[in-house]
Amino acid sequence: GNSVTQMEGPVTLSEEAFLTINCTYTATGYPSLFWYVQYPGEGLQLLLKATKADDKGSNKGFEATYRKETTSFHLEKGSVQVSDSAVYFCALSDRDSWGKLQFGAGTQVVVTP
Amino acid sequence: DTAVSQTPKYLVTQMGNDKSIKCEQNLGHDTMYWYKQDSKKFLKIMFSYNNKELIINETVPNRFSPKSPDKAHLNLHINSLELGDSAVYFCASSQGLDGYEQYFGPGTRLTVT
């Protein structure tokens, strides 16, 4: 079956530091890949997505590239802000799984001033 | 305008009670989902409906029964609540089944005492 593995948190950074959250996946088909963000006390928001190999998703300064050869979709941001403190989830979905999202365990990111 | 809404936001109840959570989306989507987020933030699919038809039922106890009266609504009824049902329940919707992003509601925090 499909699975998603992402680095454990918490990840603690100072403001303006570079952020990387690793995400690798296992899938039988050709999945779409997503990063979702959950701010404290809120629901999940789509941060970015990529639907095929070598696609780069980007939003709000965050980027991730769909790497089929390494089955990875690492999230990066060049300069984090305190407001980026949240839990980040990597997820995949494919046709064979009827669209359901398979989530990673989530990575908590804490940005300090 | 809230895209995906859930009621109630908080639900505190005693073991053995029956409760319902309601979800509505105004995005015109065909597919709706219920996810459960446990205390460690892990997210797992419970159910999915496409055009009011149940298409995913992920090894969820029979005490949980989803109902979709129309494409814009997906409710979750839980019978004989147990302590282990305490979690945050998220409703989501998407345009279809094949790799579309999902839009999440704000969540319902269920606490069973």
Side-chain angles (χ1 to χ4, degrees):
Chain A
N2 297 339
S3 67
V4 176
T5 303
Q6 57 182 112
M7 60 189 284
E8 286 189 27
V11 173
T12 303
L13 303 161
S14 297
E15 213 166 15
E16 298 184 5
F18 185 88
L19 170 68
T20 299
I21 305 176
N22 290 339
C23 171
T24 57
Y25 68 90
T26 303
T28 51
Y30 298 92
S32 295
L33 302 175
F34 306 87
W35 277 101
Y36 281 85
V37 58
Q38 185 176 26
Y39 297 103
E42 297 186 13
L44 280 80
Q45 299 176 28
L46 178 68
L47 185 57
L48 52 85
K49 71 171 188 177
T51 58
K52 59 184 189 297
D54 299 326
D55 267 2
K56 179 187 279 190
S58 61
N59 186 25
K60 298 181 182 180
F62 290 90
E63 290 184 343
T65 301
Y66 190 144
R67 301 283 188 205
K68 191 161 168 43
E69 63 276 13
T70 55
T71 61
S72 65
F73 192 54
H74 305 320
L75 183 68
E76 297 181 335
K77 186 176 185 184
S79 176
V80 293
Q81 306 299 313
V82 172
S83 56
D84 293 324
S85 298
V87 180
Y88 292 80
F89 293 92
C90 185
L92 69 80
S93 168
D94 68 15
R95 188 177 299 175
D96 294 340
S97 60
W98 297 97
K100 77 173 184 184
L101 283 169
Q102 182 74 43
F103 284 95
T107 302
Q108 183 176 11
V109 172
V110 178
V111 181
T112 58
Chain B
D1 258 359
T2 304
V4 182
S5 59
Q6 292 178 231
T7 54
K9 189 166 173 63
Y10 300 98
L11 188 50
V12 181
T13 188
Q14 292 184 328
M15 280 174 55
N17 285 347
D18 303 338
K19 290 293 178 187
S20 291
I21 306 171
K22 295 182 185 250
C23 177
E24 176 180 0
Q25 54 96 2
N26 62 8
L27 297 167
H29 288 165
D30 288 338
T31 311
M32 296 185 73
Y33 309 81
W34 279 111
Y35 289 86
K36 179 180 180 180
Q37 185 174 46
D38 64 23
S39 59
K40 296 187 178 178
K41 300 281 190 187
F42 189 74
L43 281 148
K44 188 167 164 54
I45 185 90
M46 299 174 70
F47 301 103
S48 170
Y49 272 74
N50 186 57
N51 286 321
K52 301 197 312 176
E53 181 185 345
L54 179 66
I55 56 169
I56 295 176
N57 183 343
E58 287 274 312
T59 60
V60 178
N62 290 339
R63 299 182 294 102
F64 290 79
S65 53
K67 280 193 172 52
S68 181
D70 56 55
K71 286 200 302 184
H73 296 85
L74 180 61
N75 303 324
L76 183 64
H77 188 76
I78 315 169
N79 289 327
S80 303
L81 278 154
E82 300 178 357
L83 292 176
D85 297 332
S86 295
V88 182
Y89 293 85
F90 287 101
C91 177
S93 73
S94 68
Q95 195 173 341
L97 296 172
D98 189 8
Y100 291 98
E101 61 264 35
Q102 294 181 21
Y103 294 83
F104 283 77
T108 295
R109 181 175 292 277
L110 172 64
T111 303
V112 182
T113 61

